[in-house]
Amino acid sequence: MFVDHVKVYVRGGDGGDGMVAFRREKYVPNGGPAGGDGGKGGDIVFIVEEGLRTLMDFRYKRIFKADRGTHGMSSNKHGAKAEDTFIKVPPGTVVKDIDTGETIADLVEHGQTAVIAKGGRGGRGNSRFATPANPAPELSEKGEPGYERNVTLELKVLADAGLVGFPSVGKSTLLSVVSAAKPKIAEYHFTTIVPNLGMVETEDHRSFVMADLPGLIEGAHQGVGLGHQFLRHIERTRVIVHVIDMSAMEGRDPYEDYVTINEELQQYNMRLTERPQLIVANKMDMPDAEENLAKFREKLPEDARIFPISALSRKGLSSLLHAIADLLEVTDEFPLIDEEADESESTVLYKHESEADGFDITRDPDGAYVLSGYAIERLFKMTDFSREDSIRRFARQMRGMGIDDALRERGAENGDTVRLLEFEFEFMD
Ligand SMILES: Nc1nc2c(ncn2[C@@H]2O[C@H](COP(=O)(O)OP(=O)(O)OP(=O)(O)O)[C@@H](O)[C@H]2O)c(=O)[nH]1
Ligand SMILES: [Mg+2]
């Protein structure tokens, strides 16, 4: 089975915890704070590996977590940063955040990388919290939790020219005779289930990448046949090479084939029809082909560019390749069609970051106030509640975020229960 669309959960490593420690030196009874910071958690980084052609590897492994940073140590030793976790993806992988719908990365070139989930920063050790008023704080932060997100990976083949057409019209055969690619060829339909790429060189030494795409049939845009998962690949090709079986030996009319496929392209996405298209009349070695071609021509506009070939007997190929190369020279790259005006370098933007300062207050059936929100939960997870100083700092920060005021506004009074994640505390006015 060909996998070109998967959902994956990624999570950066947690930061290491900061340490509470004090210097212990001979003859110095109470040394200053000496707790080191925790190390940063590892990032989840996607990296393009040229040799990969599918997202098959993600079929069974869909959860990726990076390592956590080491905890801070005494004598102001900082914890080590965790190694980043690199995950290989094939060229043409588009990564989207499922929650925001935003495209995070468009990974094209070999070795290209994108941070998909950042590791959390290390918690600060108590040395960092020393002030003149509190020179020996019993206070350190826990590591920041790693960032997490659910993403989809979509594979969009990167090719200059894409072969489209009904099944068995000879797309793979054509690719096999103009490039070194060895796609599977057979007379049954849907022989090709994975797009194949081949490097084509014209006689005058111009080269381009040609993709042999799985056959399309009526209703493909709605998922019929191998469905529109393959139409997606066409989005990336600059020139469409529309292959038609002129022998009509399967009983279909070549002109109707032509119309049907173009309608599928258009229904899948209007903008596919903006792409320059060449028509290849294949199987011209067959008995009725000339006659069929003449009828076909009549129904098409005068200036339609039709290239009669026989992929099997290798006829008519060089003028076709020249024409494709010429067309590529005057055709720009197409941007990803479904991109929602997203040009920003947003490699690491998380949904919760945009709502970083917000928080929600709801009520449980028992009347307790329930606090939620990314920032407050993060703060909570980074607080070491076993220490007085840490608890006091947490209370200060909550006040700073406006949470106390908001609770009061909602009617909270002294002694009321407030819940946050799995913990409860009393509201104190
Ligand atoms: N006579 C003749 N047969 C051809 C020609 N090109 C391809 N064929 C035959 O047509 C059949 C289908 O060829 P493929 O190249 O597998 O067709 P395809 O378009 O890739 O088909 P799918 O992958 O199923 O979409 C095979 O039996 C080929 O040998 C040609 O120029 N002339
Ligand atoms: Mg094929």
Side-chain angles (χ1 to χ4, degrees), residues 97 100 102 104 149 344 346-351 353-354:
D97 187 307
T100 64
E102 169 205 22
I104 309 164
R149 67 197 332 177
S344 57
S346 55
T347 304
V348 193
L349 211 154
Y350 300 85
K351 180 175 162 226
E353 279 182 344
S354 53

Side-chain angles (χ1 to χ4, degrees), residues 18 25 39 45 51-52 69 76 118 132 143 145 158 172 194 206 227 235 259 261-262 278 288 301 341 405 414 420-421:
E25 286 163 32
V45 184
L52 292 177
N76 281 322
K118 268 195 300 190
L158 297 163
S172 302
V194 186
R206 290 179 291 169
E235 291 178 24
V259 172
I261 296 291
N262 278 338
L278 291 177
D288 297 333
D405 289 343
N414 234 347
L420 172 55
L421 295 169

Side-chain angles (χ1 to χ4, degrees), residues 166-174 184-192 212-215 249 282-286 309-313:
F166 268 82
S168 294
V169 295
K171 300 179 297 295
S172 302
T173 309
L174 175 56
K184 189 169 171 195
I185 294 166
E187 61 216 26
Y188 58 87
H189 286 191
F190 301 117
T191 309
T192 302
D212 161 32
L213 301 165
M249 55 184 181
N282 191 30
K283 308 200 185 179
M284 291 308 293
D285 55 286
M286 295 295 280
I309 68 162
S310 166
L312 199 68
S313 45

Side-chain angles (χ1 to χ4, degrees), residues 146-271:
Y147 290 77
E148 59 183 346
R149 67 197 332 177
N150 289 295
V151 296
T152 55
L153 275 63
E154 251 178 68
L155 187 58
K156 297 195 180 184
V157 165
L158 297 163
D160 300 311
L163 299 172
V164 302
F166 268 82
S168 294
V169 295
K171 300 179 297 295
S172 302
T173 309
L174 175 56
L175 181 72
S176 74
V177 295
V178 298
S179 77
K182 299 263 167 288
K184 189 169 171 195
I185 294 166
E187 61 216 26
Y188 58 87
H189 286 191
F190 301 117
T191 309
T192 302
I193 51 170
V194 186
N196 298 295
L197 296 181
M199 182 63 80
V200 180
E201 200 179 303
T202 58
E203 282 158 357
D204 55 351
H205 305 295
R206 290 179 291 169
S207 57
F208 56 88
V209 176
M210 186 183 263
D212 161 32
L213 301 165
L216 297 172
I217 52 174
E218 189 167 355
H221 75 279
Q222 294 165 321
V224 179
L226 284 176
H228 82 309
Q229 49 169 328
F230 292 108
L231 279 163
R232 181 159 63 224
H233 295 303
I234 303 169
E235 291 178 24
R236 280 291 181 87
T237 61
R238 285 197 284 156
V239 169
I240 292 176
V241 179
H242 191 153
V243 185
I244 292 168
D245 176 354
M246 254 336 133
S247 76
M249 55 184 181
E250 292 194 25
R252 294 189 315 265
D253 175 59
Y255 180 72
E256 271 167 30
D257 276 14
Y258 172 75
V259 172
T260 304
I261 296 291
N262 278 338
E263 256 164 30
E264 288 306 321
L265 296 182
Q266 170 159 8
Q267 297 216 35
Y268 174 69
N269 193 313
M270 286 291 284
R271 289 182 50 192

